[in-house]
Amino acid sequence: MTKVRLKKRNVGIAVGCVIVVLVLIAGLFRWKQTLDYQKTFEYRLQKHGYSEEDTAYLIEHLENNELEELLKKEANENIPKFIQEDYYLKKNLDRYLSYYEQNPDKSLRDVVAIVNVRADEDWYSNPVEADVSQDNLLLVNKFHKLSKDYEAEDLEKVKNWYAYGDDPMLRKEAYDNFIALFNAAKEDGLTVIIASAYRDYQYQEDLYNGYLESLGQKETDDVAARPGFSEHQTGLTVDVTTYGANTDTFDTFEEFDWLQNHAHEYGFILRYPKDKEYITGYHYESWHYRYVGVEVATYIYEHDITFDEYYAYFIEGEK
Ligand SMILES: [Zn+2]
């Protein structure tokens, strides 16, 4: 063998070695890449059972710790759908899922609303003390109660010009805004009169017991609040009427249409709307209006939600 041939052979071996090393490095690199990919949420969520589309949505909308939580639960195609709902609250996710499973005919929006306001539970079960520090946004419903002696400090007597009956009372800001509403309606040739406003605990107790004797418990709960659970005790609520109307007919009067369009401009909302009984716990009451301030009333009006839903999301909900 000549020297030249030997040299060529050595070069060949060297090149071969380099190629082998390069292939090994490339292999290691790919192996490392695969391991890294398997740690990603993209891989883990899909492996867990989520579609590519749902995976992308979840990664975009949840924090890493929330994704880790999600991976501990069984995959459920409804989870991304609930997260997309406007009033979705993270703390309620498990309850949305189980309520929806039992009520598959309900819309997702309804499920969220029902669970948020606790209407998936029995009315009056485990009530909490109403948070009176919320001022105009004080919520009193079948799960939030006022104490026997709660009475707002700024109750004012409503002048006879605006009301029937002997001296109903309202909190000052609600009263001032009712006067503005009254005057605006008058300018349009209409008369909105207060038939009832503040009622204390004792009054509500007598009223409730009166119904109880003639209607029985279930019917009474549909039409009257138990004492402590009446919004009238807040001093922020009015029952209204107009000439010739009663509670059965008020919504056939022009005054009702006017209130539908304008009450929010003065901070009032229709508190127990038609077809929302399953959220408010009350039959439709065309005459019962609640003062919450112009900003919140406008929001509620524009988004077609109840005050219960507003409160559950914006005040009690986690942000
Ligand atoms: Zn009322």
Side-chain angles (χ1 to χ4, degrees):
M1 228 185 275
T2 64
K3 261 189 174 175
V4 175
R5 277 176 110 185
L6 250 179
K7 214 175 176 183
K8 268 191 181 166
R9 211 175 117 186
N10 285 346
V11 169
I13 289 168
V15 167
C17 284
V18 168
I19 289 171
V20 167
V21 168
L22 283 176
V23 167
L24 273 174
I25 289 173
L28 275 172
F29 188 69
R30 284 198 60 180
W31 182 59
K32 167 99 170 53
Q33 270 189 329
T34 308
L35 280 183
D36 284 349
Y37 178 66
Q38 286 178 357
K39 284 185 202 151
T40 64
F41 285 115
E42 189 184 349
Y43 175 85
R44 292 168 66 200
L45 286 164
Q46 289 191 47
K47 182 102 178 149
H48 201 67
Y50 288 101
S51 70
E52 214 179 308
E53 197 187 328
D54 285 349
T55 298
Y57 181 85
L58 291 168
I59 290 172
E60 198 188 327
H61 290 88
L62 298 185
E63 303 290 338
N64 286 355
N65 61 333
E66 294 173 314
L67 291 168
E68 289 292 358
E69 283 298 309
L70 206 59
L71 284 162
K72 288 180 197 155
K73 293 184 209 291
E74 209 178 305
N76 185 326
E77 60 177 7
N78 294 320
I79 291 177
K81 291 184 196 158
F82 277 118
I83 294 174
Q84 287 177 58
E85 280 298 314
D86 286 345
Y87 300 105
Y88 165 80
L89 289 172
K90 194 167 59 178
K91 65 175 179 182
N92 289 340
L93 178 59
D94 290 336
R95 281 167 60 214
Y96 299 145
L97 294 172
S98 79
Y99 187 80
Y100 191 43
E101 211 176 284
Q102 288 153 28
N103 301 275
D105 50 322
K106 290 264 193 293
S107 70
L108 295 178
R109 187 188 159 132
D110 269 351
V111 172
V112 168
I114 289 165
V115 170
N116 283 2
V117 306
R118 290 181 52 201
D120 55 333
E121 300 174 38
D122 290 335
W123 301 121
Y124 292 117
S125 59
N126 306 312
V128 296
E129 288 294 319
D131 180 3
V132 297
S133 73
Q134 294 297 336
D135 200 33
N136 287 335
L137 298 182
L138 167 58
L139 175 72
V140 174
N141 65 11
K142 288 182 174 174
F143 299 108
H144 296 75
K145 71 174 292 195
L146 287 168
S147 63
K148 202 165 187 162
D149 52 6
Y150 175 76
E151 185 178 276
E153 285 166 5
D154 58 352
L155 288 170
E156 292 195 353
K157 279 193 175 181
V158 175
K159 281 192 186 133
N160 194 250
W161 174 248
Y162 306 108
Y164 287 152
D166 31 66
D167 303 330
M169 293 197 286
L170 263 186
R171 290 189 61 189
K172 186 179 182 336
E173 189 180 320
Y175 183 29
D176 290 345
N177 280 276
F178 180 81
I179 292 172
L181 178 152
F182 180 94
N183 291 333
K186 266 283 180 237
E187 273 178 34
D188 289 344
L190 303 168
T191 307
V192 181
I193 309 160
I194 293 177
S196 176
Y198 171 69
R199 296 178 199 152
D200 65 18
Y201 187 98
Q202 191 57 51
Y203 182 101
Q204 194 64 27
E205 193 164 47
D206 295 343
L207 186 82
Y208 185 85
N209 289 339
Y211 277 118
L212 207 54
E213 277 174 30
S214 54
L215 296 175
Q217 176 98 56
K218 204 200 157 293
E219 277 290 300
T220 300
D221 278 338
D222 280 346
V223 296
R226 294 184 188 176
F229 294 87
S230 169
E231 209 183 38
H232 283 277
Q233 199 184 335
T234 65
L236 296 165
T237 292
V238 288
D239 289 343
V240 298
T241 188
T242 191
Y243 304 129
N246 59 41
T247 52
D248 288 335
T249 61
F250 182 65
D251 67 358
T252 65
F253 282 74
E254 255 185 85
E255 277 77 2
F256 173 76
D257 292 333
W258 189 92
L259 286 168
Q260 289 278 86
N261 296 320
H262 299 289
H264 67 280
E265 294 164 13
Y266 305 92
F268 286 88
I269 53 160
L270 178 69
R271 183 65 180 86
Y272 306 123
K274 211 173 202 164
D275 303 324
K276 294 283 175 83
E277 289 90 344
Y278 64 98
I279 292 173
T280 64
Y282 286 96
H283 280 312
Y284 167 51
E285 292 190 358
S286 64
W287 60 90
H288 179 116
Y289 292 81
R290 161 68 196 263
Y291 183 75
V292 289
V294 174
E295 195 186 324
V296 175
T298 303
Y299 183 93
I300 287 172
Y301 169 80
E302 285 174 352
H303 293 81
D304 189 28
I305 58 171
T306 59
F307 181 50
D308 309 272
E309 290 164 85
Y310 181 92
Y311 192 92
Y313 186 76
F314 290 105
I315 296 180
E316 272 180 335
E318 70 220 316
K319 285 280 124 3

